Amino acid sequence: MPDGPLIFTTLLAANIFVRIVTSEEPNQSWLLWLLSGSVIGLALLSKYQAFLFGFGMFVFLLSNPCGRQILTGLPVYVAGRVSFVWFLPVAIWNMDHGWQSFVFQSGRAANLDTLTVLQRITNVLVMIGGQVLYLLPGTFLLALYGLGGALKSGPAHPRRWYLLCLALSPVLIFKKE
């Protein structure tokens, strides 16, 4: 199952990334950037949705002044290239096999066009209801409280904002099939 390695590597990458952005000189932490790129690359090998994790990190960097300063440095782009190098075997295999896995995964998302607005809303409500049952109502209420706090404070509270940026894209993109 690819979920175990995905969860492990994204948690490890999140931890490394926190060390980078909280350091005095984030663009001088070359070893951490290279390690971060490698770990995200390993996450990409386990499951394509690791792209969403990278997207969340990018949104976090783009949405606050410290992050925008990091985006002006070379290490973040080198880390991105390192991630791509790790992902390269998947791309080469797909290229040699008619992009099979990409066609399969995009086919799973293609049925979104056939859903009515009411069906989409129903799917979202069913997914939320399932999460409430899975997390138990108390835990779900705490998660909503954290979400509200992060949305209210925005980038002014970097820790909350970081977690929100990492978590929100998969929540908004994935749907019930």
Side-chain angles (χ1 to χ4, degrees):
M1 298 303 290
D3 291 327
L6 173 72
I7 292 168
F8 175 75
T9 51
T10 53
L11 286 174
L12 183 58
N15 189 10
I16 294 167
F17 190 69
V18 165
R19 292 175 191 268
I20 292 170
V21 297
T22 58
S23 72
E24 297 274 332
E25 295 288 331
N27 285 328
Q28 301 300 319
S29 308
W30 277 95
L31 181 61
L32 288 177
W33 279 111
L34 294 174
L35 186 59
S36 175
S38 293
V39 172
I40 293 170
L42 289 171
L44 288 168
L45 286 177
S46 64
K47 224 169 174 183
Y48 295 151
Q49 78 186 57
F51 280 108
L52 297 174
F53 179 83
F55 177 74
M57 289 171 58
F58 179 72
V59 168
F60 172 76
L61 290 174
L62 199 58
S63 63
N64 67 65
C66 174
R68 287 190 292 274
Q69 180 185 2
I70 290 171
L71 287 172
T72 63
L74 184 62
V76 68
Y77 299 102
V78 172
R81 304 276 187 310
V82 169
S83 294
F84 178 74
V85 167
W86 278 98
F87 185 70
L88 202 52
V90 174
I92 291 170
W93 183 91
N94 273 285
M95 191 171 54
D96 290 343
H97 293 88
W99 305 101
Q100 284 182 355
S101 67
F102 292 122
V103 169
F104 172 75
Q105 295 298 339
S106 64
R108 294 173 69 192
N111 72 357
L112 184 61
D113 296 335
T114 63
L115 297 178
T116 66
V117 172
L118 182 60
Q119 288 172 319
R120 292 178 192 189
I121 292 170
T122 302
N123 283 345
V124 168
L125 293 175
V126 167
M127 292 299 289
I128 291 171
Q131 293 299 316
V132 169
L133 291 174
Y134 180 73
L135 292 174
L136 300 175
T139 308
F140 184 76
L141 291 174
L142 286 174
L144 280 180
Y145 176 76
L147 173 68
L151 287 172
K152 183 179 177 184
S153 63
H157 194 286
R159 290 179 183 172
R160 286 182 179 177
W161 189 247
Y162 176 57
L163 293 174
L164 180 72
C165 289
L166 292 182
L168 208 51
S169 61
V171 170
L172 294 176
I173 290 174
F174 289 114
K175 63 181 181 9
K176 181 182 183 294
E177 291 186 24

